[in-house]
DNA sequence: GAGATTTGACCCGT
DNA sequence: ACGGGTCAAATCTC
């Protein structure tokens, strides 16, 4: 049991909490194995969806335990041995290289208790384990991002924008990305992704289930039956659109990214700048139109392949990241 | 009112 | 000391 290796300086109640988390995690593992063996014995189609949901549920619970343990250990400056215990080889692995905030307010280095004192609250990110993409348009990767910072970078013409996964707090997803315009003419954007998404995009998931019952010819994941005007009001699209709106306002030159009705076409859905990302999203989901018809984005092709092969973030990550 | 963005301050690595 | 990454209060948007 890992709990026996906890250092003595941990307060006993904290140690008991960790012990309980470890116990919960181990029990969940047993449940996972049980679900898995049941799945192997029930291979008919009617049970497949339920089995998949069961597995997702178990993995989410397991992930919560693992992440909680990681946070607790990190808050005491422990090496992250708990997080490195694989919960599942293909799901929810915690990226140790991603900066992780410590919620600890009792750190030994703390000398004052002012709200502003955040010493020890984060670690600088290592340069490793990042994926860089350079695109002529701001592309969507299928995830909801929330901007949390912007910095002027030395010797850089344009500021760097910092995004974290929207589900950082509700699902503990540690994925972040940086987006920076590096050229204006033609526009070129560099996106650097750090960490892996451990969140589940529930809206996308539910849409997948819906689409599996009402196949339309070209879309693996289809929003195509929603009129374009209604897409703005659709919960997914409205939240997505608002989540990236500012990104475009910040990064695109103010003059050249507003509506160009002449350039709109039936399939490409060319839209105002913040909707340009929506365009890519729609395109990716349809698996047929890429970034307004741009044919030079091989990385985007990879995204489409991933979406077509389906199964949300994990599969996308395997291809894109 | 909830959630997203802005932006100055803070913290850490070099 | 400086540059870059993140926090969090204030502000904005829907």
């Amino acid at each position: 049991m890992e709990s026996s290796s906890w250092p003595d300086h941990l307060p006993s109640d904290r140690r008991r909490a960790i012990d309980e988390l470890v116990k919960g995690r181990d029990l969940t593992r047993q449940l996972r194995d049980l679900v898995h063996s049941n799945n192997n014995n029930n291979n008919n189609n009617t049970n497949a969806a339920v089995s998949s949901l069961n597995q997702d549920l178990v993995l989410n619970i397991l992930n919560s335990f693992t992440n909680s343990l990681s946070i607790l250990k990190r808050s005491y400056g422990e090496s992250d041995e708990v997080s490195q215990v694989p919960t599942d080889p293909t799901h929810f692995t915690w990226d140790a290289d991603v900066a992780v905030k410590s919620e600890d307010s009792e750190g030994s280095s703390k000398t004052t208790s002012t709200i502003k004192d955040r010493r020890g609250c984060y670690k600088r990110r290592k340069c490793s384990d990042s994926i860089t993409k350079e695109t002529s348009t701001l592309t969507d990767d299928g995830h909801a991002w929330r901007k949390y910072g912007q910095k002027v970078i030395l010797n850089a013409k344009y500021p760097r924008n910092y995004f974290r996964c929207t589900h950082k707090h509700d699902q503990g997803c540690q994925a972040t990305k940086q987006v920076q315009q590096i050229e204006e003419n033609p526009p070129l954007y560099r996106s650097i992704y750090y960490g892996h998404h451990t969140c589940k995009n529930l809206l996308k998931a539910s849409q997948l289930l819906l689409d599996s019952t009402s196949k339309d010819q070209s879309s693996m994941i289809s929003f195509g039956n929603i009129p374009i005007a209604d897409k703005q009001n659709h919960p997914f699209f409205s939240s997505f659109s608002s989540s990236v709106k500012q990104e475009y306002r910040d990064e695109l030159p103010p003059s050249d990214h507003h509506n160009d009705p002449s350039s709109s076409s039936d399939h490409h859905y060319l839209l105002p700048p913040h909707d340009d990302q929506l365009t890519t999203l729609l395109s990716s989901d349809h698996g047929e139109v890429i970034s307004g018809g741009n044919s030079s984005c091989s990385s985007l092709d990879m995204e489409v392949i991933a979406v077509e092969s389906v199964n949300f973030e994990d599969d996308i990550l395997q291809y894109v990241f």
Side-chain angles (χ1 to χ4, degrees), chain A residues 28-29 31-36 39 47-65 87-88 90-92 171 198-206 208-209 310-315:
Chain A
T28 308
R29 280 178 180 162
L31 181 59
R32 177 194 60 186
D33 294 340
L34 200 59
V35 168
H36 188 253
N39 289 350
N47 287 335
V50 175
S51 298
S52 175
L53 287 174
N54 285 344
Q55 279 188 318
D56 280 350
L57 188 60
V58 170
L59 287 170
N60 276 329
I61 296 169
L62 200 49
N63 190 44
S64 292
F65 281 121
T87 55
D88 179 295
T90 57
H91 291 78
F92 308 119
Q171 296 183 39
T198 56
C199 61
K200 285 288 182 186
N201 189 332
L202 300 178
L203 282 167
K204 207 167 186 175
S206 61
L208 271 174
L209 288 174
V310 123
N311 274 341
F312 325 137
E313 287 74 8
D314 293 316
D315 288 335

Side-chain angles (χ1 to χ4, degrees), chain A residues 193-265:
Chain A
Y193 294 84
Y194 296 96
H196 297 255
H197 282 276
T198 56
C199 61
K200 285 288 182 186
N201 189 332
L202 300 178
L203 282 167
K204 207 167 186 175
S206 61
Q207 189 63 48
L208 271 174
L209 288 174
L210 287 173
D211 284 343
S212 67
T213 61
S214 60
K215 280 248 188 296
D216 108 342
Q217 63 293 354
S218 62
S219 53
M220 295 295 291
I221 311 168
S222 175
F223 293 90
N225 54 348
I226 305 170
I228 190 68
D230 290 349
K231 287 184 169 97
Q232 303 296 332
N233 298 325
H234 188 283
F236 177 70
F237 286 105
S238 61
S239 68
F240 176 83
S241 185
S242 72
S243 76
V244 298
K245 207 181 301 178
Q246 190 58 45
E247 178 177 357
Y248 286 84
R249 194 187 307 157
D250 289 342
E251 291 164 2
L252 289 175
S255 57
D256 62 356
H257 59 284
H258 283 295
N259 258 333
D260 179 9
S262 66
S263 62
S264 53
S265 72

